[in-house]
Amino acid sequence: MGTLNLSNVTKSFGKVEVIKGVDLSVNDGEFCVFVGPSGCGKSTLLRMIAGLEDVTSGDVLLDGERINDVAPAKREIAMVFQTYALYPHLTVRENMGLGLKQLGTPKADITAATEKAAAMLALDPLMDRRPSELSGGQRQRVAIGRAIVRTPKLFLFDEPLSNLDAALRVATRIEIARLHRELGATMIYVTHDQVEAMTLADKIVVLRAGKVEQVGRPMDLYNDPDNTFVAGFIGSPQMNFLKAEALGLQFDTLGIRPEHLEISESGGEIEGRVSHLEKLGGETLTYVRTDLHGLLTVRQFGEHDHPVDGTVFVTPDQSRAFRFDAEGQRLRG
C-alpha cells in the first residue's frame, strides 16, 4: 500500500507562508505530478512529505497513519534528487545497497535486491564503476535504483531530469514510466516542465503561490481548465488569450489553443503581421502580432510558409474556445 493524504497542510518560514492549506489525496499505485512555475512551492511540499521540512500545520498521512513526527528514514519513502546525491568513493553496487546496509539488512538480501534493480535499469555492466565514470543519465538511473531496492511505499522524484540533455530526458522519462508500470508503486514527481507532467502523470496537481489551482488527469486539465492560469500553463505552446469585447462577445477573455486558430493571407476575423516563424518539421508555429490581442501563436501541422512581416488574418474556432471572466475564472455552460 502507498496511499497519501494531505489535510490542510501549511508551511511558513517565519512570517512568510509558502504552502497555504493544501488538501490532496494520492491513491495507491498512482503517478501524481506536482507542476507549476518556479517558486510555487512544489519542491517544498515534496520535502514536507519526505520529512525533510517540518509541517507548520495540518496532517500528512501515509496509509492512514499520521507521519508528521516520524523521522525521514522511517517513513518508508524513497526520494530521488535532482543532483543524484551519489557517494563518489562508492561503486554503483555500493551506492545502490547503502540504504539497506544501514538498516542492517542481510548481505544476501542486499545482493539480491541490487541485482534485481540493476537488471530493471540495465545497470549490470556498470556495477563496479564509480559515479565519476558514469554519464549523467547513468548516474540518474543509479539514484533511481537506490530508491527501488528499498521497496518503499512511496517514491518521490524532485525534478530528476533537469540536469540531462534533451535526448536523455526523453529516454529517462520513458524509463520512469516503464518502471511505474512494472513496480505498480505510488509515485509523486515534481517538475516545472508541463510536457513531463502531461506524458507521465495519472494525476496532475497544478500549484501557484503555495495553493492548488486544479487537480485532474492530464487531458482533463488540457480540455477543461478551471481558470486562465491552468489554461495557460498546461499546453505547449500555451493557450492564446483574446479580448472578448473586441470580438463582440459579452465576457472578458476568450481562450483558444494554437491549433484551433486558422490563418490565412486572404481574409479572416483578426488582422495581424507575422512576427516570427518556427518550422519544426512535423508542425509549423506562426507568431502573429495584432493590435488588439497582442502576440498570437498559430499551430499548423506539417510544413507551411508565411512571409515574416507579411499581413495575415487569424480566425478562432469558436466551438473549441474557452470563456473566462475578469478574475480569470472559467465560465461554463
Side-chain angles (χ1 to χ4, degrees):
M1 293 291 289
T3 301
L4 178 76
N5 290 284
L6 304 181
S7 178
N8 196 28
V9 168
T10 70
K11 175 64 179 178
S12 297
F13 294 99
K15 295 182 179 180
V16 180
E17 189 177 30
V18 294
I19 300 296
K20 305 170 183 176
V22 169
D23 292 294
L24 179 67
S25 295
V26 181
N27 298 323
D28 183 40
E30 199 166 39
F31 199 125
C32 179
V33 176
F34 294 170
V35 69
S38 296
C40 70
K42 54 189 184 294
S43 289
T44 300
L45 189 58
L46 194 77
R47 291 173 63 84
M48 291 164 68
I49 295 168
L52 303 178
E53 295 283 359
D54 293 332
V55 176
T56 302
S57 65
D59 293 320
V60 179
L61 297 98
L62 185 60
D63 287 340
E65 178 186 352
R66 186 178 184 272
I67 60 172
N68 291 42
D69 303 316
V70 177
K74 297 183 178 180
R75 290 193 180 196
E76 297 185 82
I77 293 173
M79 189 163 180
V80 178
F81 297 90
Q82 177 181 345
T83 54
Y84 318 137
L86 302 177
Y87 289 96
H89 63 289
L90 300 181
T91 64
V92 168
R93 188 188 315 277
E94 291 166 338
N95 266 291
M96 289 174 61
L98 183 61
L100 294 181
K101 182 178 179 181
Q102 292 173 332
L103 292 173
T105 305
K107 188 174 181 179
D109 292 344
I110 295 175
T111 300
T114 54
E115 288 180 354
K116 181 179 179 181
M120 294 178 71
L121 294 162
L123 289 171
D124 306 81
L126 310 176
M127 294 297 278
D128 294 317
R129 295 189 188 181
R130 287 180 169 77
S132 61
E133 301 172 287
L134 305 176
S135 68
Q138 289 168 339
R139 292 179 196 179
Q140 192 57 278
R141 280 154 53 201
V142 174
I144 294 170
R146 180 180 55 196
I148 289 173
V149 299
R150 295 181 56 195
T151 58
K153 290 183 176 181
L154 178 63
F155 287 87
L156 305 180
F157 295 85
D158 189 8
E159 301 200 45
L161 309 185
S162 59
N163 289 334
L164 305 180
D165 62 38
L168 270 177
R169 281 202 302 272
V170 173
T172 309
R173 190 169 73 214
I174 292 170
E175 285 300 302
I176 291 173
R178 179 184 62 81
L179 281 171
H180 177 248
R181 290 193 299 270
E182 290 185 8
L183 295 171
T186 309
M187 296 184 175
I188 299 179
Y189 187 104
V190 162
T191 181
H192 64 274
D193 185 339
Q194 58 88 33
V195 174
E196 285 182 23
M198 293 287 288
T199 53
L200 285 172
D202 298 319
K203 174 190 289 180
I204 294 177
V205 180
V206 183
L207 292 160
R208 175 170 62 163
K211 293 183 178 180
V212 174
E213 290 288 332
Q214 191 172 354
V215 178
R217 295 177 298 179
M219 293 313 299
D220 289 343
L221 298 188
Y222 189 84
N223 292 318
D224 193 20
D226 283 345
N227 53 50
T228 52
F229 178 80
V230 175
F233 197 85
I234 298 295
S236 180
Q238 74 170 31
M239 183 180 288
N240 297 288
F241 296 106
L242 286 66
K243 295 179 180 178
E245 186 178 359
L247 299 171
L249 302 172
Q250 302 303 309
F251 49 90
D252 190 80
T253 302
L254 182 81
I256 188 81
R257 298 283 181 197
E259 60 268 28
H260 300 144
L261 284 175
E262 295 182 4
I263 187 170
S264 170
E265 296 175 11
S266 58
E269 199 164 336
I270 302 166
E271 183 176 347
R273 300 182 74 84
V274 176
S275 175
H276 183 60
L277 200 69
E278 292 181 344
K279 297 182 180 180
L280 304 176
E283 64 181 13
T284 301
L285 302 178
T286 305
Y287 298 90
V288 180
R289 180 69 63 185
T290 68
D291 291 336
L292 292 176
H293 307 287
L295 188 67
L296 302 180
T297 305
V298 182
R299 170 188 265 161
Q300 294 173 282
F301 296 98
E303 297 183 36
H304 298 270
D305 196 16
H306 304 285
V308 174
D309 290 332
T311 298
V312 293
F313 297 87
V314 176
T315 302
D317 180 353
Q318 295 279 1
S319 68
R320 306 299 297 272
F322 300 87
R323 300 179 304 145
F324 301 96
D325 64 20
E327 284 72 46
Q329 297 302 306
R330 176 85 176 279
L331 297 169
R332 289 183 167 87

